[in-house]
Amino acid sequence: MLDLGCAEGRQLLSLAESYPSTHCVGVDLGAEHIRTAKSEAAMLSIANIEFIEGDATAIGSELGKFDYITAHGLFSWVPQELQPRIIDVIKRLLAPNGVAFVSFNVYPGWHVNEMIRELLLRNLIHVQDLQDRIRMARDILKQIAESVDLHSPYGALIAERAQNFATKEPNYLLHGLLGTHNNPLRVTDFLELVDRAELSYFDDLIVPEHSWHTQPSNQVEGPIDHRLQDSDDLGGTGFRGALLCHTQDLPEGRTNIEEILRMRIGADLIA
């Protein structure tokens, strides 16, 4: 498994420990992140994992092929010109019949979020201390939620988004909301990049909260990119988690979300 933009590698460490026969590789540009990840791997005596400090968009083929590739919290948080390179890395390093997961911010849901982000950045432009930025961002978000007209649909929407951001953990506020780069796109534009790389979308690991086409009565014919964009536009989707594969490996049909929601899962829980 390859994790692009692995940060401190916590997710990858958990997987490597749970599946000792696998080989896991995490790549991140942050030197401190990689030092922390390596330290925790050594402390936990996890031998089947490797952490590499470097640019996740410039990985060579020397790492080999991977059955699973993840890029969570990376695609929207790099310059736009680097986004196609992430897809290219996945194309080159994904093994036959492999699966990749890419999360990204999407319009139209991120239009309001973008307005809130820009407001915060304007008011925090001279604040350099990270703890001060977090504290002041929460204060501003609270002020936004309290000052808008809750009787108007737009004001209620802004208040809901501001309140939601105010509850996020510090790392999300600093990286996800206030980071240097945050470049959402329409799902059709994302799928165009995927198609150019001879990859294919086949489902969502993260199901949009308001997904119009998951309702059986709304099933319509048409290209998948059009249907997904219709769903985003009508549901106000702001975030997606897409599953990709090589086009020649594309499974027939698409997962029926309604069937999954009716499933029951049993497991032995060990404290």
Side-chain angles (χ1 to χ4, degrees):
M1 178 175 177
L2 172 64
D3 189 5
L4 303 173
C6 66
E8 295 172 344
R10 302 245 162 79
Q11 175 180 317
L12 203 59
L13 285 164
S14 177
L15 289 169
E17 186 175 35
S18 299
Y19 301 97
S21 63
T22 65
H23 177 59
C24 298
V25 177
V27 181
D28 198 278
L29 195 59
E32 187 60 34
H33 284 163
I34 294 299
R35 279 195 293 270
T36 300
K38 288 181 176 180
S39 175
E40 293 194 8
M43 181 178 65
L44 296 170
S45 300
I46 300 176
N48 59 319
I49 197 166
E50 178 183 2
F51 289 105
I52 299 171
E53 178 188 341
D55 184 353
T57 68
I59 300 173
S61 300
E62 65 276 2
L63 292 180
K65 301 285 187 178
F66 294 87
D67 296 310
Y68 302 99
I69 298 177
T70 61
H72 185 41
L74 176 67
F75 189 87
S76 291
W77 295 272
V78 300
Q80 286 180 319
E81 61 268 21
L82 295 185
Q83 290 178 341
R85 289 169 58 178
I86 294 174
I87 302 300
D88 180 65
V89 167
I90 292 172
K91 174 191 177 181
R92 288 188 290 105
L93 300 188
L94 188 65
N97 296 309
V99 173
F101 165 68
V102 182
S103 66
F104 51 102
N105 292 332
V106 291
Y107 296 125
W110 246 87
H111 281 303
V112 172
N113 297 348
E114 208 163 41
M115 180 274 294
I116 293 174
R117 163 182 156 82
E118 291 172 358
L119 187 153
L120 289 171
L121 291 174
R122 285 196 303 270
N123 284 274
L124 298 173
I125 190 169
H126 298 301
V127 181
Q128 301 301 319
D129 182 80
L130 298 184
Q131 294 304 315
D132 286 344
R133 285 177 71 83
I134 294 169
R135 176 181 55 79
M136 293 181 66
R138 292 193 196 281
D139 289 343
I140 295 170
L141 289 166
K142 181 179 178 181
Q143 291 174 22
I144 292 172
E146 293 175 348
S147 63
V148 295
D149 180 8
L150 296 179
H151 297 291
S152 75
Y154 184 62
L157 176 60
I158 293 174
E160 184 270 329
R161 297 289 175 85
Q163 290 168 346
N164 178 266
F165 283 138
T167 64
K168 297 292 187 182
E169 62 182 18
N171 186 58
Y172 178 85
L173 290 176
L174 291 174
H175 168 67
L177 187 59
L178 301 175
T180 304
H181 301 286
N182 195 315
N183 294 298
L185 72 173
R186 292 170 64 84
V187 68
T188 48
D189 295 328
F190 175 80
L191 294 179
E192 184 178 343
L193 293 177
V194 169
D195 185 63
R196 287 179 193 168
E198 298 180 341
L199 296 171
S200 288
Y201 158 94
F202 68 91
D203 220 318
D204 286 285
L205 184 61
I206 300 174
V207 180
E209 183 178 354
H210 306 290
S211 188
W212 185 59
H213 288 299
T214 62
Q215 304 303 318
S217 62
N218 289 329
Q219 293 295 330
V220 296
E221 296 299 324
I224 184 64
D225 58 336
H226 291 181
R227 286 185 281 135
L228 291 176
Q229 191 62 65
D230 288 347
S231 178
D232 285 0
D233 288 345
L234 293 170
T237 304
F239 186 75
R240 278 191 171 273
L243 294 175
L244 310 176
C245 65
H246 290 293
T247 297
Q248 64 266 28
D249 300 327
L250 185 66
E252 294 184 5
R254 189 169 185 264
T255 304
N256 188 321
I257 300 298
E258 293 300 314
E259 291 183 4
I260 293 177
L261 293 176
R262 287 196 293 268
M263 290 181 179
R264 297 293 182 267
I265 299 175
D268 294 327
L269 302 179
I270 302 175

